[in-house]
Amino acid sequence: YDDDDFALGAVLAVLVRGDEYDDDDFSLGAVLAVLVRGDEYDDDDFSLVTCGSTLKLKHRSGYHLHSHDINWGSGSGQQSVTAMKSSDDSNSLWTIAAKNGDKTCIQGAPIKCGSTVRLFHHNTQKYLHSHRHASPVSQRFEISGYGHAEAGQSDSGDNWKVDCDSHSGFWQRDSKVRFMHLDTGGCLYAQKDVAFNNQNCRGCPIVGQLEVCGLQNCQYVKSSDSYWKASDGIFYPRRES
């Protein structure tokens, strides 16, 4: 594949509707989504993170937001959420949805900075969730997987405000963002030196992964460890609502 508009190695696949694709810069009516590796792809139609996109969130440590069908052995007992170094695990894929109580967001609608969304885990359908249970290592707010997207099970603890600073006013794939939890005032947070090991989690299947927690009073704290960036994913082209 040698279209000049796509850096080879950045675009892994293009999903096209029916027979509408004629390799003329991909008319937006034909292209449904583009599968991108990292942040190498810079076509304007896909420069924003949009509703319905499924993506990996990369922490500044190089680890990715991760979940799996393993429940916490303490706190809420809900599905555990961690950060994993591997970039090839499908359990690090999350899909963007409208906030709890809203109608389904329009596929391809750009995410405005300051807006509220939910993220659900692609493989288990659990929503990224927080509450005031203590996280297992740092004793901050626990992060868990809760409810079920397909079954419509969700509550306000699944709502996250997208805190970003971009020239467009929207969440861009190449920009750092924070996820502010509305119910607790915390934000999605990880530190490379706060990990699961054989001292704090002997024999656990999550040894070597980072604890992901909610940092309290995050609106008053500026920490680089609270920033995340869109990485690999399936991104839908921008469509106005």
Side-chain angles (χ1 to χ4, degrees), residues 85-121:
K85 190 168 181 78
S86 172
S87 61
D88 298 326
D89 196 312
S90 66
N91 273 316
S92 298
L93 286 168
W94 300 83
T95 300
I96 300 171
K99 69 179 181 180
N100 182 54
D102 271 13
K103 295 179 180 178
T104 303
C105 58
I106 296 173
Q107 190 179 86
I111 308 297
K112 191 173 183 179
C113 294
S115 61
T116 301
V117 300
R118 289 175 295 173
L119 297 163
F120 67 84
H121 188 242

mmCIF file of all heavy atoms in Angstrom, residues 85-121:
data_model
loop_
_atom_site.group_PDB
_atom_site.id
_atom_site.type_symbol
_atom_site.label_atom_id
_atom_site.label_comp_id
_atom_site.label_asym_id
_atom_site.label_seq_id
_atom_site.Cartn_x
_atom_site.Cartn_y
_atom_site.Cartn_z
ATOM 1 N N LYS A 85 2.685 -2.987 30.686
ATOM 2 C CA LYS A 85 3.722 -2.467 29.797
ATOM 3 C C LYS A 85 3.535 -2.914 28.346
ATOM 4 O O LYS A 85 3.752 -2.141 27.414
ATOM 5 C CB LYS A 85 5.106 -2.904 30.283
ATOM 6 C CG LYS A 85 6.229 -2.183 29.547
ATOM 7 C CD LYS A 85 7.567 -2.398 30.211
ATOM 8 C CE LYS A 85 8.674 -1.650 29.486
ATOM 9 N NZ LYS A 85 8.707 -0.239 29.790
ATOM 10 N N SER A 86 3.110 -4.153 28.138
ATOM 11 C CA SER A 86 2.944 -4.676 26.785
ATOM 12 C C SER A 86 1.965 -3.817 25.990
ATOM 13 O O SER A 86 0.922 -3.401 26.502
ATOM 14 C CB SER A 86 2.437 -6.118 26.832
ATOM 15 O OG SER A 86 2.090 -6.563 25.533
ATOM 16 N N SER A 87 2.281 -3.578 24.736
ATOM 17 C CA SER A 87 1.393 -2.795 23.873
ATOM 18 C C SER A 87 0.550 -3.692 22.969
ATOM 19 O O SER A 87 -0.213 -3.198 22.141
ATOM 20 C CB SER A 87 2.217 -1.828 23.014
ATOM 21 O OG SER A 87 3.114 -2.562 22.187
ATOM 22 N N ASP A 88 0.689 -5.008 23.103
ATOM 23 C CA ASP A 88 0.047 -5.939 22.171
ATOM 24 C C ASP A 88 -1.139 -6.686 22.760
ATOM 25 O O ASP A 88 -1.669 -7.587 22.127
ATOM 26 C CB ASP A 88 1.077 -6.982 21.683
ATOM 27 C CG ASP A 88 2.228 -6.337 20.920
ATOM 28 O OD1 ASP A 88 1.974 -5.329 20.231
ATOM 29 O OD2 ASP A 88 3.355 -6.841 21.019
ATOM 30 N N ASP A 89 -1.561 -6.325 23.964
ATOM 31 C CA ASP A 89 -2.615 -7.072 24.649
ATOM 32 C C ASP A 89 -3.976 -6.438 24.369
ATOM 33 O O ASP A 89 -4.188 -5.252 24.630
ATOM 34 C CB ASP A 89 -2.328 -7.083 26.151
ATOM 35 C CG ASP A 89 -3.131 -8.131 26.892
ATOM 36 O OD1 ASP A 89 -4.356 -8.193 26.665
ATOM 37 O OD2 ASP A 89 -2.550 -8.857 27.712
ATOM 38 N N SER A 90 -4.910 -7.228 23.863
ATOM 39 C CA SER A 90 -6.239 -6.688 23.542
ATOM 40 C C SER A 90 -7.012 -6.283 24.791
ATOM 41 O O SER A 90 -8.012 -5.558 24.695
ATOM 42 C CB SER A 90 -7.054 -7.718 22.748
ATOM 43 O OG SER A 90 -7.347 -8.852 23.542
ATOM 44 N N ASN A 91 -6.563 -6.710 25.969
ATOM 45 C CA ASN A 91 -7.214 -6.292 27.205
ATOM 46 C C ASN A 91 -6.869 -4.854 27.586
ATOM 47 O O ASN A 91 -7.294 -4.381 28.648
ATOM 48 C CB ASN A 91 -6.844 -7.248 28.347
ATOM 49 C CG ASN A 91 -7.774 -8.445 28.410
ATOM 50 O OD1 ASN A 91 -8.991 -8.301 28.292
ATOM 51 N ND2 ASN A 91 -7.206 -9.626 28.581
ATOM 52 N N SER A 92 -6.114 -4.178 26.748
ATOM 53 C CA SER A 92 -5.837 -2.754 26.963
ATOM 54 C C SER A 92 -6.671 -1.863 26.041
ATOM 55 O O SER A 92 -6.397 -0.670 25.923
ATOM 56 C CB SER A 92 -4.337 -2.470 26.765
ATOM 57 O OG SER A 92 -3.566 -3.182 27.708
ATOM 58 N N LEU A 93 -7.667 -2.419 25.392
ATOM 59 C CA LEU A 93 -8.524 -1.649 24.488
ATOM 60 C C LEU A 93 -9.771 -1.155 25.220
ATOM 61 O O LEU A 93 -10.442 -1.922 25.920
ATOM 62 C CB LEU A 93 -8.949 -2.504 23.286
ATOM 63 C CG LEU A 93 -7.876 -2.756 22.227
ATOM 64 C CD1 LEU A 93 -8.338 -3.848 21.258
ATOM 65 C CD2 LEU A 93 -7.543 -1.475 21.459
ATOM 66 N N TRP A 94 -10.076 0.134 25.020
ATOM 67 C CA TRP A 94 -11.231 0.783 25.656
ATOM 68 C C TRP A 94 -12.034 1.535 24.592
ATOM 69 O O TRP A 94 -11.464 2.149 23.692
ATOM 70 C CB TRP A 94 -10.765 1.762 26.728
ATOM 71 C CG TRP A 94 -9.974 1.103 27.814
ATOM 72 C CD1 TRP A 94 -8.637 0.796 27.793
ATOM 73 C CD2 TRP A 94 -10.469 0.644 29.070
ATOM 74 N NE1 TRP A 94 -8.273 0.170 28.964
ATOM 75 C CE2 TRP A 94 -9.369 0.067 29.777
ATOM 76 C CE3 TRP A 94 -11.719 0.675 29.689
ATOM 77 C CZ2 TRP A 94 -9.503 -0.471 31.047
ATOM 78 C CZ3 TRP A 94 -11.855 0.140 30.957
ATOM 79 C CH2 TRP A 94 -10.753 -0.433 31.628
ATOM 80 N N THR A 95 -13.345 1.507 24.735
ATOM 81 C CA THR A 95 -14.234 2.172 23.780
ATOM 82 C C THR A 95 -14.889 3.386 24.437
ATOM 83 O O THR A 95 -15.304 3.331 25.600
ATOM 84 C CB THR A 95 -15.314 1.203 23.276
ATOM 85 O OG1 THR A 95 -14.681 0.094 22.623
ATOM 86 C CG2 THR A 95 -16.254 1.890 22.282
ATOM 87 N N ILE A 96 -14.974 4.480 23.693
ATOM 88 C CA ILE A 96 -15.531 5.734 24.216
ATOM 89 C C ILE A 96 -17.041 5.760 24.014
ATOM 90 O O ILE A 96 -17.543 5.520 22.911
ATOM 91 C CB ILE A 96 -14.889 6.933 23.514
ATOM 92 C CG1 ILE A 96 -13.380 6.927 23.754
ATOM 93 C CG2 ILE A 96 -15.499 8.241 24.003
ATOM 94 C CD1 ILE A 96 -12.638 7.945 22.938
ATOM 95 N N ALA A 97 -17.756 6.069 25.085
ATOM 96 C CA ALA A 97 -19.215 6.126 25.052
ATOM 97 C C ALA A 97 -19.696 7.421 25.700
ATOM 98 O O ALA A 97 -18.942 8.123 26.377
ATOM 99 C CB ALA A 97 -19.801 4.912 25.791
ATOM 100 N N ALA A 98 -20.963 7.725 25.503
ATOM 101 C CA ALA A 98 -21.561 8.912 26.116
ATOM 102 C C ALA A 98 -21.613 8.744 27.633
ATOM 103 O O ALA A 98 -21.573 7.634 28.163
ATOM 104 C CB ALA A 98 -22.973 9.121 25.575
ATOM 105 N N LYS A 99 -21.714 9.859 28.345
ATOM 106 C CA LYS A 99 -21.790 9.798 29.802
ATOM 107 C C LYS A 99 -23.067 9.097 30.236
ATOM 108 O O LYS A 99 -24.040 9.006 29.470
ATOM 109 C CB LYS A 99 -21.711 11.197 30.408
ATOM 110 C CG LYS A 99 -22.927 12.074 30.154
ATOM 111 C CD LYS A 99 -22.748 13.443 30.817
ATOM 112 C CE LYS A 99 -23.968 14.326 30.597
ATOM 113 N NZ LYS A 99 -23.801 15.658 31.233
ATOM 114 N N ASN A 100 -23.055 8.603 31.459
ATOM 115 C CA ASN A 100 -24.231 7.924 32.001
ATOM 116 C C ASN A 100 -25.440 8.862 31.993
ATOM 117 O O ASN A 100 -25.357 10.015 32.423
ATOM 118 C CB ASN A 100 -23.947 7.458 33.431
ATOM 119 C CG ASN A 100 -25.107 6.699 34.033
ATOM 120 O OD1 ASN A 100 -25.575 5.735 33.454
ATOM 121 N ND2 ASN A 100 -25.571 7.140 35.195
ATOM 122 N N GLY A 101 -26.562 8.372 31.478
ATOM 123 C CA GLY A 101 -27.779 9.172 31.417
ATOM 124 C C GLY A 101 -27.996 9.853 30.078
ATOM 125 O O GLY A 101 -29.100 10.323 29.805
ATOM 126 N N ASP A 102 -26.972 9.921 29.242
ATOM 127 C CA ASP A 102 -27.108 10.524 27.921
ATOM 128 C C ASP A 102 -27.434 9.464 26.877
ATOM 129 O O ASP A 102 -27.164 8.276 27.065
ATOM 130 C CB ASP A 102 -25.806 11.222 27.501
ATOM 131 C CG ASP A 102 -25.764 12.659 27.951
ATOM 132 O OD1 ASP A 102 -26.601 13.035 28.786
ATOM 133 O OD2 ASP A 102 -24.877 13.398 27.488
ATOM 134 N N LYS A 103 -27.997 9.921 25.767
ATOM 135 C CA LYS A 103 -28.201 9.025 24.639
ATOM 136 C C LYS A 103 -26.838 8.634 24.074
ATOM 137 O O LYS A 103 -25.832 9.286 24.326
ATOM 138 C CB LYS A 103 -29.029 9.718 23.555
ATOM 139 C CG LYS A 103 -30.448 10.059 23.991
ATOM 140 C CD LYS A 103 -31.200 10.775 22.873
ATOM 141 C CE LYS A 103 -32.617 11.126 23.310
ATOM 142 N NZ LYS A 103 -33.351 11.869 22.275
ATOM 143 N N THR A 104 -26.823 7.578 23.305
ATOM 144 C CA THR A 104 -25.576 7.118 22.693
ATOM 145 C C THR A 104 -24.942 8.247 21.890
ATOM 146 O O THR A 104 -25.620 8.924 21.115
ATOM 147 C CB THR A 104 -25.847 5.915 21.771
ATOM 148 O OG1 THR A 104 -26.465 4.886 22.530
ATOM 149 C CG2 THR A 104 -24.556 5.400 21.165
ATOM 150 N N CYS A 105 -23.664 8.450 22.075
ATOM 151 C CA CYS A 105 -22.999 9.517 21.311
ATOM 152 C C CYS A 105 -22.886 9.096 19.848
ATOM 153 O O CYS A 105 -22.768 7.910 19.523
ATOM 154 C CB CYS A 105 -21.620 9.829 21.898
ATOM 155 S SG CYS A 105 -20.472 8.457 21.986
ATOM 156 N N ILE A 106 -22.906 10.066 18.993
ATOM 157 C CA ILE A 106 -22.852 9.808 17.554
ATOM 158 C C ILE A 106 -21.458 9.335 17.184
ATOM 159 O O ILE A 106 -20.455 9.963 17.525
ATOM 160 C CB ILE A 106 -23.210 11.071 16.762
ATOM 161 C CG1 ILE A 106 -24.655 11.474 17.062
ATOM 162 C CG2 ILE A 106 -23.017 10.857 15.270
ATOM 163 C CD1 ILE A 106 -25.052 12.803 16.469
ATOM 164 N N GLN A 107 -21.387 8.217 16.493
ATOM 165 C CA GLN A 107 -20.103 7.678 16.072
ATOM 166 C C GLN A 107 -19.355 8.714 15.223
ATOM 167 O O GLN A 107 -19.867 9.217 14.235
ATOM 168 C CB GLN A 107 -20.330 6.406 15.254
ATOM 169 C CG GLN A 107 -19.074 5.615 14.953
ATOM 170 C CD GLN A 107 -19.419 4.360 14.162
ATOM 171 O OE1 GLN A 107 -19.519 4.400 12.939
ATOM 172 N NE2 GLN A 107 -19.628 3.269 14.872
ATOM 173 N N GLY A 108 -18.154 9.055 15.657
ATOM 174 C CA GLY A 108 -17.358 10.046 14.944
ATOM 175 C C GLY A 108 -17.500 11.450 15.488
ATOM 176 O O GLY A 108 -16.795 12.360 15.042
ATOM 177 N N ALA A 109 -18.395 11.665 16.467
ATOM 178 C CA ALA A 109 -18.518 12.997 17.065
ATOM 179 C C ALA A 109 -17.265 13.304 17.873
ATOM 180 O O ALA A 109 -16.839 12.494 18.701
ATOM 181 C CB ALA A 109 -19.748 13.059 17.956
ATOM 182 N N PRO A 110 -16.623 14.464 17.643
ATOM 183 C CA PRO A 110 -15.395 14.794 18.383
ATOM 184 C C PRO A 110 -15.687 15.025 19.861
ATOM 185 O O PRO A 110 -16.783 15.458 20.234
ATOM 186 C CB PRO A 110 -14.902 16.068 17.701
ATOM 187 C CG PRO A 110 -16.106 16.657 17.050
ATOM 188 C CD PRO A 110 -16.994 15.512 16.676
ATOM 189 N N ILE A 111 -14.703 14.724 20.717
ATOM 190 C CA ILE A 111 -14.833 14.877 22.159
ATOM 191 C C ILE A 111 -14.299 16.252 22.555
ATOM 192 O O ILE A 111 -13.102 16.516 22.454
ATOM 193 C CB ILE A 111 -14.050 13.787 22.915
ATOM 194 C CG1 ILE A 111 -14.419 12.393 22.396
ATOM 195 C CG2 ILE A 111 -14.292 13.913 24.417
ATOM 196 C CD1 ILE A 111 -15.842 12.003 22.602
ATOM 197 N N LYS A 112 -15.179 17.135 22.977
ATOM 198 C CA LYS A 112 -14.773 18.484 23.364
ATOM 199 C C LYS A 112 -14.065 18.467 24.715
ATOM 200 O O LYS A 112 -14.463 17.743 25.628
ATOM 201 C CB LYS A 112 -15.992 19.399 23.433
ATOM 202 C CG LYS A 112 -15.663 20.873 23.568
ATOM 203 C CD LYS A 112 -16.924 21.721 23.452
ATOM 204 C CE LYS A 112 -16.591 23.198 23.517
ATOM 205 N NZ LYS A 112 -17.801 24.045 23.371
ATOM 206 N N CYS A 113 -12.981 19.225 24.845
ATOM 207 C CA CYS A 113 -12.302 19.344 26.133
ATOM 208 C C CYS A 113 -13.291 19.835 27.178
ATOM 209 O O CYS A 113 -14.043 20.789 26.935
ATOM 210 C CB CYS A 113 -11.126 20.315 26.033
ATOM 211 S SG CYS A 113 -9.780 19.746 24.967
ATOM 212 N N GLY A 114 -13.310 19.180 28.331
ATOM 213 C CA GLY A 114 -14.241 19.540 29.384
ATOM 214 C C GLY A 114 -15.532 18.753 29.358
ATOM 215 O O GLY A 114 -16.346 18.882 30.283
ATOM 216 N N SER A 115 -15.746 17.942 28.327
ATOM 217 C CA SER A 115 -16.968 17.150 28.257
ATOM 218 C C SER A 115 -16.803 15.865 29.068
ATOM 219 O O SER A 115 -15.708 15.487 29.463
ATOM 220 C CB SER A 115 -17.325 16.831 26.800
ATOM 221 O OG SER A 115 -16.291 16.079 26.184
ATOM 222 N N THR A 116 -17.917 15.209 29.322
ATOM 223 C CA THR A 116 -17.936 14.002 30.148
ATOM 224 C C THR A 116 -18.232 12.793 29.285
ATOM 225 O O THR A 116 -19.153 12.813 28.449
ATOM 226 C CB THR A 116 -18.990 14.127 31.262
ATOM 227 O OG1 THR A 116 -18.680 15.269 32.062
ATOM 228 C CG2 THR A 116 -19.012 12.890 32.141
ATOM 229 N N VAL A 117 -17.453 11.736 29.485
ATOM 230 C CA VAL A 117 -17.606 10.506 28.719
ATOM 231 C C VAL A 117 -17.539 9.313 29.671
ATOM 232 O O VAL A 117 -17.241 9.447 30.852
ATOM 233 C CB VAL A 117 -16.512 10.356 27.639
ATOM 234 C CG1 VAL A 117 -16.543 11.518 26.653
ATOM 235 C CG2 VAL A 117 -15.123 10.228 28.281
ATOM 236 N N ARG A 118 -17.819 8.151 29.134
ATOM 237 C CA ARG A 118 -17.496 6.901 29.790
ATOM 238 C C ARG A 118 -16.542 6.122 28.883
ATOM 239 O O ARG A 118 -16.513 6.333 27.663
ATOM 240 C CB ARG A 118 -18.748 6.053 30.041
ATOM 241 C CG ARG A 118 -19.673 6.596 31.110
ATOM 242 C CD ARG A 118 -20.949 5.757 31.213
ATOM 243 N NE ARG A 118 -21.725 5.853 29.978
ATOM 244 C CZ ARG A 118 -22.815 5.131 29.722
ATOM 245 N NH1 ARG A 118 -23.257 4.267 30.626
ATOM 246 N NH2 ARG A 118 -23.475 5.270 28.597
ATOM 247 N N LEU A 119 -15.774 5.237 29.492
ATOM 248 C CA LEU A 119 -14.888 4.330 28.758
ATOM 249 C C LEU A 119 -15.236 2.914 29.196
ATOM 250 O O LEU A 119 -15.263 2.628 30.395
ATOM 251 C CB LEU A 119 -13.423 4.618 29.082
ATOM 252 C CG LEU A 119 -12.890 5.996 28.690
ATOM 253 C CD1 LEU A 119 -11.595 6.294 29.429
ATOM 254 C CD2 LEU A 119 -12.653 6.063 27.187
ATOM 255 N N PHE A 120 -15.520 2.042 28.224
ATOM 256 C CA PHE A 120 -15.766 0.662 28.640
ATOM 257 C C PHE A 120 -14.722 -0.270 28.032
ATOM 258 O O PHE A 120 -14.214 -0.053 26.930
ATOM 259 C CB PHE A 120 -17.197 0.191 28.349
ATOM 260 C CG PHE A 120 -17.589 0.061 26.896
ATOM 261 C CD1 PHE A 120 -17.296 -1.098 26.178
ATOM 262 C CD2 PHE A 120 -18.289 1.078 26.264
ATOM 263 C CE1 PHE A 120 -17.681 -1.228 24.846
ATOM 264 C CE2 PHE A 120 -18.686 0.953 24.934
ATOM 265 C CZ PHE A 120 -18.372 -0.210 24.228
ATOM 266 N N HIS A 121 -14.408 -1.294 28.807
ATOM 267 C CA HIS A 121 -13.378 -2.257 28.440
ATOM 268 C C HIS A 121 -13.886 -3.125 27.300
ATOM 269 O O HIS A 121 -14.946 -3.753 27.400
ATOM 270 C CB HIS A 121 -13.030 -3.103 29.669
ATOM 271 C CG HIS A 121 -11.869 -3.998 29.476
ATOM 272 N ND1 HIS A 121 -11.955 -5.373 29.565
ATOM 273 C CD2 HIS A 121 -10.573 -3.718 29.195
ATOM 274 C CE1 HIS A 121 -10.775 -5.901 29.357
ATOM 275 N NE2 HIS A 121 -9.918 -4.925 29.135
#
